[in-house]
Amino acid sequence: MTSTTTPLNGNRLIFFSPTHTSAQIARAIGEGIGMERRIETDLTLDESSSPIEMQGELCVIATPVYGGRVPTLALQRLQRLKGNGAPVILVVVYGNRDYEDALRELRDTAISLGFVPLTAGAFIGEHSYSTPELPIAAGRPDTDDLQQSRGFGKDSLEKWNQLHTAGTPIPELTVKGNFPYKLWTPGAPACPTCTENCFACGECIEVCPTHAIHFNADQTAIETDIQQCIKCCACVKVCPNKAREFKSPFAAILHEKCSARRQPELFF
Ligand SMILES: Cc1cc2nc3c(=O)[nH]c(=O)nc-3n(C[C@H](O)[C@H](O)[C@H](O)COP(=O)(O)O)c2cc1C
Ligand code: SF4
Ligand code: SF4
């Protein structure tokens, strides 16, 4: 429980988002909140460990779902945040299969970092393994998702304003998910590979959250450290020549079994 007597000091969007769907949802929520002072903290490539102190902003924390959980690397990156009692809107974005315990895990993590959960939502984004041949939630978040995200931001601010006017603390927020969390093991090491269309431009090197990709000795090709790869597919999606592929055995199963459109779920 926190005090709602102090006015809000702007809006901060915090995200870990290798393929940008979590970032898109966070930004749409920020638009719905509509505050003049809006800052972004993108943790996707951020390896720094120096603390980031919240100063009474209305925060949004958005991460993808990996295996029904918050990605381990996102949890590590979030450790820099010092909530200092700031209200937070919690968001997980998943690829139309399920988010299982991820939102619960994100809520518990935010509390441990000193935030006070205000609202939460599970949204749908194009699956990292989606390809034109085997689409999985392709193109999401779409116009409807982004409109719902903006509405969610507006409604979340409205909730805070009502509590602020009444001088009432934020009550405990309940979200879907269980503790102990679902067990997730990342599986056997694997990573995307390059086709002959790779012209060693290096763009994929720039977006890899774990620095798993390097030029070879004479800079004519790229190499990937399979042990470092978290299979996020940022490199696949960014390649301007469609020369990067990740052949996941799960893609065909997800394409077949997870085609029914799922809708965002919101928690107030
Ligand atoms: C390793 C890995 C595991 C994933 N696990 C799940 C999952 O359990 N359920 C699901 O629906 N989507 C899963 N996804 C898909 C992502 O949650 C989805 O594509 C999300 O939109 C990616 O967010 P980003 O664009 O912010 O990186 C997984 C993706 C990866 C790379
Ligand atoms: S972005 Fe594509 S073309 Fe450029 S180095 Fe990476 S795989 Fe090769
Ligand atoms: S090499 Fe692995 S960790 Fe790096 S961007 Fe590609 S899929 Fe993600």
Side-chain angles (χ1 to χ4, degrees), residues 191-192 207-210 212-213 224 228-235 244:
C191 66
V207 301
C208 178
T210 64
I213 313 173
T224 310
Q228 293 268 90
C229 179
I230 58 165
K231 307 169 195 170
C232 71
C233 292
C235 55
R244 195 99 170 128

Side-chain angles (χ1 to χ4, degrees), residues 14 18 70 81 93 129 142 147 153 162 188 192 204 214 224 246 265:
I14 300 157
V70 179
L81 305 174
V93 181
Y129 301 162
D142 58 16
Q147 197 176 334
Q162 281 175 9
C204 52
H214 307 274
T224 310
F246 184 52
E265 290 171 58

